[in-house]
Amino acid sequence: MKVKAIVFDFDGVLADSFEHLYGLNKEAMAKIGIKLSKIMYRDFFIDNYHSGVRKFIKSDAAYGKFSEFRHQNFGKYYSAVKLFPGMPGFVEKISRAFALAVVSSGESRWINKLFAGAKIKGCFYFVGAGDNQDKRKQINLALERLKISPQEAAMVSDTCGDLELAKKLGLKAIGVSWGFHSPKELRLINPDFIARNLPQLYSYLSP
């Protein structure tokens, strides 16, 4: 079945945000006495980020303190995040052939702000994001808004958890090598394709 829509993860795919988000999570973990390494942080995305963090932090009180700090300080770290070089032009070009959506565990106001600054906000039909949001629900809502079936959509992500979810839901799973997980890690999920740069991604997606 022909792909009609592309669902993008945001952080690590469209936005160069790893160092900023790692810094935020590292400081939030420090507030509850945990030293967070980059490897530990990346491991949260092997599954869903929020469920990964929740399983890691056993105490309800500690998790509440972590979440509160993360929410209150999100803008402090995220305000410096930028889209990857060449991304606005890529999005504009790919939007001529597909309906586009974004699902993210981040905050929609910052995503929309970056899109508005790059003048590509109008390229996306749906932006689903927010703390503790279930990506399964976000993806299903995006497909509902776009009025298409999972088999008519592809998901582009940099994490194993997202790609595994996409496959379970019936979407084509496309990995990118410039984000949170390495190509070696992504290959464990056996995605349909792994792009190493934007031209390669565009070439694969082009109808």
Side-chain angles (χ1 to χ4, degrees), residues 107-177:
E107 296 186 2
S108 59
R109 65 189 180 106
W110 291 103
I111 294 173
N112 287 324
K113 184 176 181 180
L114 282 166
F115 284 164
K119 299 181 180 180
I120 56 172
K121 188 175 179 180
C123 294
F124 293 88
Y125 287 84
F126 176 86
V127 175
D131 275 357
N132 299 314
Q133 289 291 323
D134 184 339
K135 279 197 176 179
R136 180 185 295 269
K137 292 180 180 179
Q138 291 179 357
I139 291 171
N140 286 332
L141 182 56
L143 298 180
E144 182 182 325
R145 294 275 181 87
L146 297 171
K147 298 181 179 179
I148 61 171
S149 68
Q151 292 72 31
E152 295 175 298
M155 182 168 192
V156 179
S157 180
D158 62 320
T159 67
C160 296
D162 282 354
L163 296 178
E164 191 165 31
L165 176 60
K167 291 177 67 175
K168 287 180 180 177
L169 294 178
L171 285 75
K172 187 180 288 290
I174 303 170
V176 297
S177 66

Side-chain angles (χ1 to χ4, degrees), residues 2-43:
K2 182 181 178 181
V3 171
K4 297 180 180 179
I6 302 171
V7 179
F8 287 96
D9 178 32
F10 189 71
D11 293 301
V13 177
L14 303 180
D16 187 4
S17 55
F18 177 82
E19 292 296 337
H20 305 280
L21 289 175
Y22 168 63
L24 169 63
N25 282 267
K26 181 180 180 181
E27 187 173 355
M29 286 290 183
K31 294 296 180 182
I32 58 173
I34 297 174
K35 186 175 181 180
L36 185 70
S37 69
K38 289 184 178 181
I39 292 174
M40 292 164 65
Y41 178 58
R42 286 191 174 97
D43 282 350

Side-chain angles (χ1 to χ4, degrees), residues 75-102:
K76 171 186 170 183
Y77 284 87
Y78 211 83
S79 59
V81 170
K82 296 181 180 179
L83 299 178
F84 281 107
M87 194 58 70
F90 167 80
V91 166
E92 187 176 6
K93 189 161 65 169
I94 207 74
S95 70
R96 298 170 194 160
F98 301 96
L100 305 184
V102 165

